[in-house]
Structures are given as C-alpha cells and as structure tokens.
Amino acid sequence: MNRLLLQVTYRCTSCCRHCMYCATNRDGALLTAGDVERIIAQARPSECVLFTGGEASLAPEVVLHGMRVAKAFGIDSWLASNGSWGKNPDFAVKFAHDMVASGLTRANISVDALHQEFVPFDSVLSALRALQDAGVRTIKVAVTFVDRQKGFPVDRRTEGLLSVLNRQSRLILDIRPRVSFMGRAISGLRTYAPRMTPDEALRDSGPEDIVTPSYYTVGAEGKVSICPGFAYPGDLHAMEFKDIICEENILGNELVAAFHVKGVRGLFDYAMMRGYSPLKYYCGGCHLCLHVRDFLRPDFPDIFTPAHAYGNEVR
C-alpha cells in the first residue's frame, strides 16, 4: 500500500454540487486521535497518510496528532482541503505552521466555481499563502470543470479563478477538464450530465482492483472503503487493518466477491437476480453503480455505508 487516506470527519464547510461523498455541515462520525494513531500504526503506508474529509480542518487536533504519529514512523503527511480555514488569517498561519512542524509535506486544495459557491476565494488564497509561508514543499490546486470544452457559465467562472491562480507562484495546478458524475453530481449537475443506457453505463465502468489496490481509504466511522459508500466487510473498531484487507475477508462476502470478479457488472447482475429494475438512462457508470447499491443497501447496510452517501442524489 502506497497511501492511506483518512477521512477524519464527514462534516464539511461546503455542500458542493459535485461532492462524491455528499458531504454537508451536519454532525457526523469523527475519527478520534486514538483511532488515527491505531490505524496508522497498523497500516504503515509506504508513501504518505492523506488527511481528508469532509473537511479535515474541522478536526484540527486529530489531524495534527495523526501527522505527528505518521512523522514518528517516517511517513509523510498530506492534507486535502477546500481552504475554508483561511477565513481567519491568524488561525490559518498557526494551523499551517503547526501542520508543517507535525510533518505536513504536501497540500491538495480544491478550487473551482462549485467549491466557491460556499468558500470565499479570498479564504482559499489566505490558506495558500499560509501554506507557502509555512514552507510546505508541494501545494497542488485541483481545478475541476463540469466540461471545459463546452464553456458552460459555471466553467467560465472557474476559468476566472484559474486566471488568478496562474499568477500565483509555487503552485502546481491540477486541471480536471470534466467532472465525474458520482455522488451529489448526479443530481446537482444533472442538466450537464450525459444520458447512457444501462449497457452504455456498464461499459463506462472499468475494473477495479480491490484485493491489492495502491491505496486504502478509512472513513470516519472506521470502515475501510472500496469507494464512496462501499466498504469492505468489518470495521476497525472490531478488527485489525490487516484482517479487513486480507483476501479471505474480502472474498468471503458474496456481494464483494461478485464486484471483485466482474466489477459493476457483478453488482448489477446480483441486483437483477434480486428484482432490481434498471433506469432507462444513467449519468454514467458511477451513477449505475450507486443506484444498484442503493437498491441492495437495506440487505447490506454494513457494506453500503455511510448512509449519507445515499439519498436523492443517486436516484
């Protein structure tokens, strides 16, 4: 395993129309400092621990403790954030310096018109300056367009933000020309979405290695995720990390085994045998997968979790 992604909280300062986790500012699960310490000690990724959410800065003490633990094991710490913590310049300066002292080497900050519906751009710029002044080695800014080629009004606003970022120094711009239609984007951006038949959506779903992936994500409730809303059997409050990700545990569950063998097609076929009625059109392979999982979720609540990843967004 190269990377360990820790969703320290599902809470977020935003409610973005393209959020893959359907995050909100509602209270929710939170990894404790003890949880984070135990998980890092068990997982020992070779490259980094990425602290994310939700919005990781809403649990600053947990993040800082986790970074110190990772540093003690010789593991780099990364942060994924929307930069909302830059709203308070004094907090931003202290938080950035505390993170660097605790082991932060890279920050990934999201900037686009959809994020900026909730986070003032000035707050993001303040957070970026604080990270630079604190000496973070790598600062990557993810800029996501709905569909850059089509020039939608929302994307013209993102182009304006990008022009400002291009004038900043020492930033790595990660430009994503087309949004992924998963999570809240299925409903929040449906007017921009493609229309795919079930067969087309299934072809849009590529295979995914769930036995030997390059990284693992641990959600705020202690589940190890395959992808948003889809977890391996077991949880880290009752099992060791190595026992959750071992092949015997993964393939011992018939549903997860079906996904391992055939990907989304395996879930689709499994659901069809249980009476699933496909939609006429989907936004893509991720939409089909989420819709199928939502149908199966009452019988597999411990696999298709957290519950907030499912709602009107997937229907």
Side-chain angles (χ1 to χ4, degrees), residues 75-198:
I75 304 168
D76 283 352
S77 289
W78 295 6
L79 174 77
S81 171
N82 62 22
S84 56
W85 48 274
K87 182 178 181 180
N88 181 330
D90 292 337
F91 174 81
V93 169
K94 185 177 188 309
F95 187 46
H97 278 82
D98 285 349
M99 286 192 292
V100 170
S102 300
L104 179 70
T105 61
R106 169 171 162 170
N108 299 341
I109 307 296
S110 297
V111 174
D112 50 61
L114 299 173
H115 276 91
Q116 270 46 81
E117 290 177 348
F118 297 90
V119 181
F121 190 43
D122 286 347
S123 296
V124 178
L125 294 176
S126 174
L128 291 171
R129 285 192 297 270
L131 291 166
Q132 290 175 327
D133 292 345
V136 178
R137 295 202 301 261
T138 302
I139 303 175
K140 180 175 281 192
V141 181
V143 183
T144 301
F145 291 84
V146 175
D147 192 330
R148 196 178 189 185
Q149 288 187 339
K150 295 183 178 179
F152 296 125
V154 65
D155 286 340
R156 290 199 292 271
R157 294 195 293 274
T158 297
E159 293 284 6
L161 298 170
L162 182 58
S163 69
V164 176
L165 293 169
N166 275 320
R167 297 195 293 270
Q168 311 300 308
S169 62
R170 294 182 290 146
L171 299 180
I172 299 171
L173 298 181
D174 176 16
I175 299 173
R176 303 172 182 184
R178 191 169 182 274
V179 74
S180 297
F181 283 93
M182 59 190 303
R184 192 176 286 126
I186 293 166
S187 63
L189 299 174
R190 190 178 288 269
T191 56
Y192 305 107
R195 286 161 57 91
M196 296 186 184
T197 65

Side-chain angles (χ1 to χ4, degrees), residues 41-313:
Q42 291 180 14
R44 305 283 186 95
S46 61
E47 183 178 4
C48 72
V49 179
L50 172 65
F51 296 86
T52 182
E55 172 51 42
S57 66
L58 293 176
E61 295 307 319
V62 176
V63 169
L64 292 172
H65 181 76
M67 289 180 176
R68 290 190 290 268
V69 171
K71 184 177 182 180
F73 285 116
I75 304 168
D76 283 352
S77 289
W78 295 6
L79 174 77
S81 171
N82 62 22
S84 56
W85 48 274
K87 182 178 181 180
N88 181 330
D90 292 337
F91 174 81
V93 169
K94 185 177 188 309
F95 187 46
H97 278 82
D98 285 349
M99 286 192 292
V100 170
S102 300
L104 179 70
T105 61
R106 169 171 162 170
N108 299 341
I109 307 296
S110 297
V111 174
D112 50 61
L114 299 173
H115 276 91
Q116 270 46 81
E117 290 177 348
F118 297 90
V119 181
F121 190 43
D122 286 347
S123 296
V124 178
L125 294 176
S126 174
L128 291 171
R129 285 192 297 270
L131 291 166
Q132 290 175 327
D133 292 345
V136 178
R137 295 202 301 261
T138 302
I139 303 175
K140 180 175 281 192
V141 181
V143 183
T144 301
F145 291 84
V146 175
D147 192 330
R148 196 178 189 185
Q149 288 187 339
K150 295 183 178 179
F152 296 125
V154 65
D155 286 340
R156 290 199 292 271
R157 294 195 293 274
T158 297
E159 293 284 6
L161 298 170
L162 182 58
S163 69
V164 176
L165 293 169
N166 275 320
R167 297 195 293 270
Q168 311 300 308
S169 62
R170 294 182 290 146
L171 299 180
I172 299 171
L173 298 181
D174 176 16
I175 299 173
R176 303 172 182 184
R178 191 169 182 274
V179 74
S180 297
F181 283 93
M182 59 190 303
R184 192 176 286 126
I186 293 166
S187 63
L189 299 174
R190 190 178 288 269
T191 56
Y192 305 107
R195 286 161 57 91
M196 296 186 184
T197 65
D199 284 343
E200 290 170 334
L202 285 168
R203 289 196 295 270
D204 187 54
S205 307
E208 185 170 352
D209 183 1
I210 65 170
V211 173
T212 56
S214 61
Y215 69 90
Y216 288 96
T217 301
V218 177
E221 82 283 29
K223 303 284 288 188
V224 183
S225 298
I226 296 170
C227 64
F230 191 0
Y232 291 96
D235 69 75
L236 291 169
H237 298 296
M239 295 174 65
E240 295 282 313
F241 187 85
K242 63 179 176 60
D243 294 329
I244 288 178
I245 66 170
C246 75
E247 188 168 349
E248 181 180 1
N249 180 60
I250 293 169
L251 301 186
N253 180 283
E254 61 179 2
L255 185 70
V256 179
F259 182 74
H260 170 69
V261 174
K262 293 185 177 181
V264 176
R265 167 68 75 174
L267 292 182
F268 181 81
D269 291 345
Y270 192 94
M272 290 293 289
M273 290 189 298
R274 287 171 168 253
Y276 173 69
S277 297
L279 297 178
K280 186 175 182 180
Y281 295 107
Y282 297 92
C283 298
C286 289
H287 181 197
L288 183 148
C289 183
L290 277 166
H291 196 263
V292 165
R293 288 193 260 136
D294 192 42
F295 169 80
L296 294 169
R297 189 162 58 95
D299 293 328
F300 299 93
D302 293 334
I303 299 295
F304 298 132
T305 182
H308 71 254
Y310 300 88
N312 292 331
E313 286 86 359

